[in-house]
Amino acid sequence: MSPKLVRRGDHLFIGWLDAPEAAGATAQIRLGVCDVASGALLHIQTLGAGIDNHCGPALALDSNNRLHAMIGAHHGPFLYRWSDHPADPDSWSAPEPLGPRNTYPSLVVDFEGTLHLLYRESGDFWRLEYRRRRPGAAWETPVPLAISPVPGYNHFMQSLSVGPTGHLHAVFQFHFGPTGHGADCRGRAVIYLRSEDGGDTWTYDDGIRPVLPIEFASAQTLCRYEPSAGLHSLRVGPHTVDRDDRLWFYCSVPDAMGLLYTNHSGDWERRDLSALTNGLDYSGGRSSAFSQAPNGDLHLLISCSPAGPTAWYDPTLELYHLHLDAQGGRKAFRQLSITDPNRAQWLPAIEQWDWTRPQACCNDGPFYAMTRGINAGGIGGDNTNALQTDVWLGRL
């Protein structure tokens, strides 16, 4: 949901979290500075600290080459920072808190240099909120886009982008349960919203303007399910927007092995992802990342266990790369990770295609990163653990 890799001139900037040195201590929010030509790590900066493993940064570069970072938080205030010389650790602005109870930043910048932020806000009824910051101005008041129908946990899995026309695109899910406890929650529906006026108003794909915040019962959805015993939960992945302003994203749904969604012909289409990936089963929700290349080719990175359906953090997960042409036809499919059944290879991030800077990426192939290790957090786990994992960098 959060852009982690940004190319700026001769440098590639990568954001990640370092686990605390001891359980219960703070996680360190890192920014790696790499050489674009070789991918070699030049040095590491610390942008801030987070209370646990939910505090990874989101990065965005504007047309003036200013790098913006949203760091923290898990049910706390995000900290906003920026730099005109981001390879210099001393050049970064002082942290500006947002808050009050933010988690999971999705950050983009448009053609005018306005920052757009989509995130989860916790409270009695958890919400999906939007706010923006115009150049030279302060962050505006948050606007709730959606609200959970029950008190307690909801994970919107929201992704946000700016298309070639300048329109904002948002895809998110409703993920909740009657008890409000995370372990009891299930994915129920996927929603698409668009803004053609820079975030002033939001509409569904048919132009209808919903009453905000959107409620689950009355939402216009791309798909909707009632959880049933024995069926996997719905989970939506990040999206990319092609040169025709069409969206592409992966989604797990209860009655299929995994789907590729696109509004390719003006109407939403569902394509069987397993048919493009030699029969692998992507049901149950998979960590994924989506981007594209200057020629319009699409790149989907997705983790999956070759043994069949598993928990989304299972140690048998491997990372795969599906390469599609601009119309969604398969060009190549391969396993990127080196097989290790004892360590999950997952949580991919990919260099995001940026329509505000199309010349910057990625004639030599987009960079990607992944995590290699095991998980001790998650629902019912210990999010403040000191477990060490690896972060790997590659190029497609």
Side-chain angles (χ1 to χ4, degrees), residues 368-390:
Y368 71 93
M370 71 172 184
T371 296
R372 185 171 182 265
I374 56 177
N375 175 48
I379 299 296
D382 177 13
N383 291 326
T384 62
N385 69 84
L387 182 68
Q388 299 293 312
T389 60
D390 299 331

Side-chain angles (χ1 to χ4, degrees), residues 78-152:
F78 288 146
L79 298 177
Y80 165 65
R81 304 187 70 180
W82 58 267
S83 173
D84 291 324
H85 306 282
D88 177 5
D90 296 326
S91 69
W92 283 86
S93 67
E96 176 187 349
L98 274 66
R101 301 190 67 188
N102 315 143
T103 310
Y104 300 132
S106 296
L107 180 69
V108 296
V109 61
D110 66 18
F111 290 89
E112 286 72 44
T114 297
L115 291 170
H116 303 271
L117 178 66
L118 204 58
Y119 60 96
R120 186 182 73 187
E121 180 72 12
S122 55
D124 292 339
F125 289 81
W126 294 15
R127 301 182 302 277
L128 178 69
E129 290 193 344
Y130 162 78
R131 64 191 309 182
R132 67 187 172 190
R133 181 181 183 272
R134 301 180 191 273
W139 283 97
E140 296 179 11
T141 302
V143 176
L145 296 187
I147 187 167
S148 180
V150 297

Side-chain angles (χ1 to χ4, degrees), residues 13-26:
F13 295 89
I14 308 173
W16 73 84
L17 276 177
D18 271 359
E21 295 183 0
T26 56

Side-chain angles (χ1 to χ4, degrees), residues 24 28 41 72 92 113 149 185 198 212 244 247 258 275 292 315 336 345 381:
Q28 299 300 302
L41 181 64
W92 283 86
C185 295
L212 300 180
D244 295 317
L247 270 71
Q292 56 194 291
L336 287 178
Q345 308 196 72

Side-chain angles (χ1 to χ4, degrees), residues 37 42 113 144 150 153 173 176-177 197 203 222 226 241-242 269 302 310 332 343 354 359 363:
L42 302 176
V150 297
Y153 192 90
Q173 68 182 25
F176 63 89
D197 53 15
T203 68
L222 303 187
E226 284 299 323
V241 180
D242 69 19
E269 300 177 11
I302 188 166
T310 62
R343 305 186 75 191
D354 187 349
Q359 72 285 352
N363 287 308

